[in-house]
Amino acid sequence: MAVTAVVGGQWGDEGKGKVIDLLAGTADVVIRAHGGDNAGHTVVNDLGEFALHLVPAGIFNPAATCIIAPGVALNPAGLVRELEVLEQRGVRTDGLLISDRAHLVMPYHLMLEQAQEGSRGADAIGSTGRGIGPTYGDKVGRIGIRAGDLRDAVKFRRRVSTGLAHANDQLRMLGRFDGEISESQMADEYLTYASRLREFIRDVSPIVAGAISRGAEILLEGAQGTLLDLDHGTYPYATTSACTVAGLCQGSGVPPQAVDHSVGVYKAYCTRVGSGPMPTELKDGVGDYLRERAHEFGTTTGRARRCGWFDAVVSRYTARLNGFSSIALTRLDILDELETISLCVAYDLDGSRIQDVPYDASLLERCRPVYEELPGWKTSISDVSDFEELPREAMRFVERVEHLVGAPADMIGVGPARRQTISRGRFRSAAPFAKP
Ligand code: IMP
């Protein structure tokens, strides 16, 4: 069995796109299992730079089957656009499959999200505005519309009618109803997408099961990050899907015991986009420096990301929740020029030292980071391809992160290109991608 799950260990944007792109080079099947086009995966390869939102990053391996699984919230308009861009740039998309069980993001979900965010005032979540929360809300309310429903125009129109009536009621309750959207126009528009996407829509369950039973290399592609997970993240400042390894199993239909390796992706520092607590956030020149040097602006919304030091408290928590067997530590090169580097090893909460993540966002907001200072390496590591060639200080930083998080850093990113990757341990022999 060779199922590998790749999950974000922080608040998303950890560089999963690059890690998945690298591992997808030898994968037979790549499965996107949850979330929607609120995610943005940046991939830099021989064809250039790509921002993917729904299409699995395995699409660049023409031999891989790429699956959008039942757990995904699928905006067909966005997917059609994404496919067009890929095809225009010479990427083959015929390896894509869409689960007929995936729920569709409808135009009224976007309107509802805007209304809900507006009504929260100062407590707004800072949503990406892609309608993902309301889509999952309708799924839970059992009035969602699924990709498979696009196969039958009559049934689809009926479902649109129910979904829209419900959305209008909610908009009225929020005092944000500003006139009926045309039900038939919406259904017609979606049925146009159906004609484009029909060839991809399948029952993917037997395909996934078949791949597992023949021992195919399967990659489960996580989106967002564990700290945005609805159950375990910094609620209510979270996304609306399960961003853990367990969530990937649920969303993809891959049984938990089939997963033999789970990789936690962590940036060598922290970022967060949207509202909510972030104990190590730097609101000073160092934070601005990290943002500018690493170009930390959202792939989906363009918003400036909040930047801060690596937080080992939340990182240990997410590693524990996911049972990571490896870490992919990304963007280590961003720290190249710093004199000293701080690592948060505990929090001070109202005078008490704590080592775990409090349940409530307001408590986490009050936590003050307790830092350990490490010397910087003050030299470029962008061309290093072996761990042993790293400056001693960089090795020490990586080893300290491994120790604090509790898993080996088997992949280390030292630049955006595929070749700018140090592979060790589990990935040493399995990663020809890392060599120039
Ligand atoms: P939503 O998922 O669009 O509802 O946004 C909820 C929260 O999750 C907001 O703080 C977003 O900024 C954050 N979020 C959602 N998707 C991503 C992502 O892919 N990367 C980083 N943050 C995300």
Side-chain angles (χ1 to χ4, degrees):
M1 276 202 287
V3 180
T4 302
V6 178
V7 163
Q10 296 161 324
W11 282 282
D13 308 316
E14 299 93 349
K16 294 180 293 297
K18 176 180 171 184
V19 174
I20 293 158
D21 176 56
L22 291 172
L23 297 177
T26 51
D28 301 304
V29 182
V30 182
I31 309 179
R32 171 75 192 277
H34 71 102
D37 61 358
N38 48 353
H41 290 164
T42 305
V43 174
V44 182
N45 59 28
D46 303 345
L47 296 168
E49 183 171 329
F50 294 84
L52 299 175
H53 300 281
L54 279 164
V55 176
I59 202 74
F60 301 104
N61 173 0
T65 301
C66 288
I67 298 177
I68 295 180
V72 172
L74 173 73
N75 184 331
L79 180 59
V80 166
R81 271 196 306 274
E82 209 168 315
L83 290 172
E84 259 168 32
V85 171
L86 287 168
E87 284 163 8
Q88 274 161 14
R89 296 181 63 188
V91 181
R92 280 180 53 188
T93 58
D94 48 353
L96 182 70
L97 295 175
I98 300 168
S99 167
D100 47 12
R101 291 175 168 85
H103 279 250
L104 298 180
V105 179
M106 303 298 294
Y108 50 79
H109 292 135
L110 293 133
M111 295 168 71
L112 260 178
E113 180 143 79
Q114 215 180 10
Q116 288 166 352
E117 277 287 76
S119 71
R120 286 190 188 105
D123 294 328
I125 307 297
S127 150
T128 59
R130 299 301 164 112
I132 306 305
T135 303
Y136 284 129
D138 278 1
K139 174 178 173 172
V140 173
R142 270 79 44 98
I143 54 161
I145 307 176
R146 299 190 290 173
D149 298 335
L150 288 167
R151 291 184 186 121
D152 177 341
V154 175
K155 182 174 167 193
F156 181 73
R157 286 182 195 280
R158 215 169 41 234
R159 289 198 162 273
V160 170
S161 176
T162 308
L164 181 59
H166 184 259
N168 281 338
D169 285 348
Q170 286 188 290
L171 288 168
R172 278 191 198 94
M173 261 164 30
L174 291 165
R176 310 257 167 170
F177 179 75
D178 55 5
E180 295 282 347
I181 323 175
S182 162
E183 187 181 307
S184 58
Q185 215 177 323
M186 188 192 304
D188 289 347
E189 183 191 332
Y190 270 58
L191 290 167
T192 317
Y193 304 137
S195 59
R196 171 72 178 92
L197 299 178
R198 190 167 290 124
E199 59 174 307
F200 302 116
I201 299 175
R202 298 282 166 82
D203 177 2
V204 299
S205 175
I207 298 166
V208 172
I212 294 170
S213 62
R214 65 171 192 276
E217 291 283 334
I218 301 175
L219 199 55
L220 299 179
E221 171 176 330
Q224 288 88 40
T226 303
L227 295 168
L228 291 173
D229 179 89
L230 191 56
D231 291 305
H232 304 286
T234 46
Y235 190 85
Y237 302 100
T239 190
T240 43
S241 63
C243 311
T244 55
V245 175
L248 297 195
C249 288
Q250 174 66 19
S252 64
V254 169
Q257 81 275 13
V259 177
D260 74 335
H261 190 49
S262 53
V263 183
V265 187
Y266 293 86
K267 252 188 304 217
Y269 49 97
C270 268
T271 62
R272 175 165 202 168
V273 61
S275 320
M278 177 182 170
T280 62
E281 181 174 9
L282 293 165
K283 293 184 177 162
D284 57 8
V286 182
D288 295 341
Y289 169 83
L290 290 173
R291 186 176 310 105
E292 292 306 318
R293 179 166 164 87
H295 197 71
E296 292 289 0
F297 296 90
T299 317
T300 301
T301 58
R303 289 181 290 179
R305 295 180 185 141
R306 300 152 65 192
C307 295
W309 296 119
F310 188 90
D311 182 338
V313 180
V314 289
S315 301
R316 193 164 44 229
Y317 169 70
T318 60
R320 191 176 71 200
L321 280 167
N322 287 292
F324 292 138
S325 39
S326 294
I327 293 175
L329 188 65
T330 61
R331 313 203 82 174
L332 186 62
D333 56 300
I334 297 302
L335 308 180
D336 276 358
E337 293 178 352
L338 297 170
E339 197 75 50
T340 54
I341 296 164
S342 299
L343 267 172
C344 168
V345 292
Y347 298 142
D348 181 312
L349 177 60
D350 304 334
S352 302
R353 185 169 285 216
I354 61 168
Q355 299 277 353
D356 225 319
V357 183
Y359 99 99
D360 192 65
S362 65
L363 291 175
L364 188 57
E365 198 77 67
R366 291 217 302 272
C367 285
R368 298 287 150 253
V370 176
Y371 286 121
E372 192 175 284
E373 300 259 304
L374 295 181
W377 42 96
K378 307 238 16 193
T379 182
S380 171
I381 56 168
S382 295
D383 291 321
V384 175
S385 57
D386 279 312
F387 185 69
E388 290 69 27
E389 286 170 19
L390 281 173
R392 200 165 26 87
E393 295 82 358
M395 280 187 186
R396 202 169 140 207
F397 175 82
V398 174
E399 284 163 356
R400 192 69 187 125
V401 166
E402 289 177 316
H403 177 77
L404 290 167
V405 176
D410 289 337
M411 199 187 279
I412 300 166
V414 294
R418 281 177 171 171
R419 64 173 179 80
Q420 291 175 302
T421 310
I422 297 172
S423 48
R424 315 154 70 204
R426 160 105 195 178
F427 295 124
R428 186 180 285 284
S429 56
F433 53 76
K435 304 298 165 210

